[in-house]
Amino acid sequence: MSHELNSLETLQSAAKYGSRGAYEIKFLLHGEQSHAVREWARANLQPDPHSTPELEHGYCVNSLYLDTPAFDVFHRTDNFRQRKYRLRRYGSESVVWMELKRKHNGRVRKRRTPIVDADLPSRLLSVEDPDWEGSWFRRRLDELQLRPVCQVTYQRFACVGTSLYGPVRLTVDSQLHCQPANGWQVPAQPLTSGLLLQDQQILELKFRETIPHVFRDLIQELRLGMASFSKYRQGVEACVSLDRLMGATPGT
């Protein structure tokens, strides 16, 4: 589950200077903390331009996570450490994003390519087309033997702002649900079963360089403690039997 890291010094050490990607730190919010964070964000930041007022400045995120037959991503074997492969849809849009998310020294980088939902079977299940811009993702499926493992959906509240070092972003994820994968189907609606968090929500702060003062104020004002949390790992633990996880041989 989560591992608490409560000192501001720990947060500062996680945000060394860099020039590419973004840092992403997480917090698990309890009870009234979520309401307080949302009110703070509305007062100090602006609504994410992709959010909708009807969803209280939020949007739905629907993902299909991939792994190897040996669950190398879940077990964090050497060639898969801090890497996740997924297909992601925002709300009920027809566009699906093929994504590789990498994390190194706290800095997150993503490679992503859009594909129309109707083209998924022909593009991902047939012979690779080297001229297609998504061929890098299709090639990874074969090289790493990636296949669908679980679906994860959640509601995301999002706000953005600026700092001396570039843009900043705050998100709060709630209504986190997970179900076993249904082939290559990426959910177009929120899942209604398999709730992963009962009374907690996930706060993520994203920034380019050192932690901006506006986020330091939030952390200190609400006495937030940083935590590690992986939606994919939690989803696998909920959707995949322990026998399958422990019986698989990572790295094979």
Side-chain angles (χ1 to χ4, degrees), residues 107-127:
R107 187 181 285 276
V108 174
R109 297 179 178 87
K110 293 181 182 178
R111 184 177 182 181
R112 60 203 311 252
T113 302
I115 180 175
V116 177
D117 191 357
D119 293 340
L120 272 173
S122 61
R123 287 298 192 181
L124 298 185
L125 301 181
S126 60
V127 177

Side-chain angles (χ1 to χ4, degrees), residues 215-230:
F215 284 165
R216 293 192 194 189
D217 292 343
L218 169 65
I219 294 166
Q220 293 176 329
E221 180 179 333
L222 298 183
R223 298 181 180 180
L224 301 177
M226 196 168 81
S228 63
F229 186 92
S230 168

Side-chain angles (χ1 to χ4, degrees), residues 4 11 13 16 31 36 43-45 47 52 91 105 110 123 160 166 181 189 216 233-234:
E4 296 295 334
L11 300 181
S13 67
K16 299 176 181 178
N44 293 275
L45 301 171
T52 60
N105 292 332
K110 293 181 182 178
R123 287 298 192 181
V160 297
Q189 299 293 332
R216 293 192 194 189
R233 291 179 64 81
Q234 293 297 311

Side-chain angles (χ1 to χ4, degrees), residues 43 60 71 83 90 103 155 191-192:
C60 296
F71 295 96
R83 293 188 175 205
Y90 296 99
K103 189 173 183 180
Q155 181 76 24
L191 300 175
T192 57

Side-chain angles (χ1 to χ4, degrees), residues 83-215:
R83 293 188 175 205
K84 291 186 177 70
Y85 298 87
R86 66 194 179 199
L87 300 175
R88 171 162 289 184
R89 186 201 309 273
Y90 296 99
S92 58
E93 293 180 352
S94 62
V95 172
V96 172
W97 295 84
M98 303 173 294
E99 294 187 351
L100 163 60
K101 180 180 179 180
R102 295 172 290 177
K103 189 173 183 180
H104 181 67
N105 292 332
R107 187 181 285 276
V108 174
R109 297 179 178 87
K110 293 181 182 178
R111 184 177 182 181
R112 60 203 311 252
T113 302
I115 180 175
V116 177
D117 191 357
D119 293 340
L120 272 173
S122 61
R123 287 298 192 181
L124 298 185
L125 301 181
S126 60
V127 177
E128 176 196 349
D129 176 3
D131 295 325
W132 177 46
E133 62 180 2
S135 63
W136 67 272
F137 191 87
R138 176 65 182 83
R139 188 163 53 251
R140 298 286 173 84
L141 299 184
D142 288 340
E143 293 175 349
L144 305 176
Q145 300 182 50
L146 296 170
R147 83 281 190 268
V149 173
C150 64
Q151 306 173 47
V152 175
T153 68
Y154 51 89
Q155 181 76 24
R156 168 161 284 182
F157 167 86
C159 287
V160 297
T162 58
S163 71
L164 292 175
Y165 302 101
V168 300
R169 193 160 182 260
L170 176 153
T171 61
V172 179
D173 297 336
S174 61
Q175 303 177 44
L176 183 64
H177 291 79
C178 175
Q179 290 182 3
N182 180 15
W184 290 89
Q185 179 179 327
V186 183
Q189 299 293 332
L191 300 175
T192 57
S193 62
L195 183 65
L196 290 180
L197 291 176
Q198 291 289 343
D199 301 311
Q200 295 175 311
Q201 299 183 13
I202 306 165
L203 166 65
E204 296 184 9
L205 304 179
K206 303 176 178 68
F207 48 93
R208 291 287 174 84
E209 301 296 342
T210 190
I211 299 174
H213 288 293
V214 65
F215 284 165

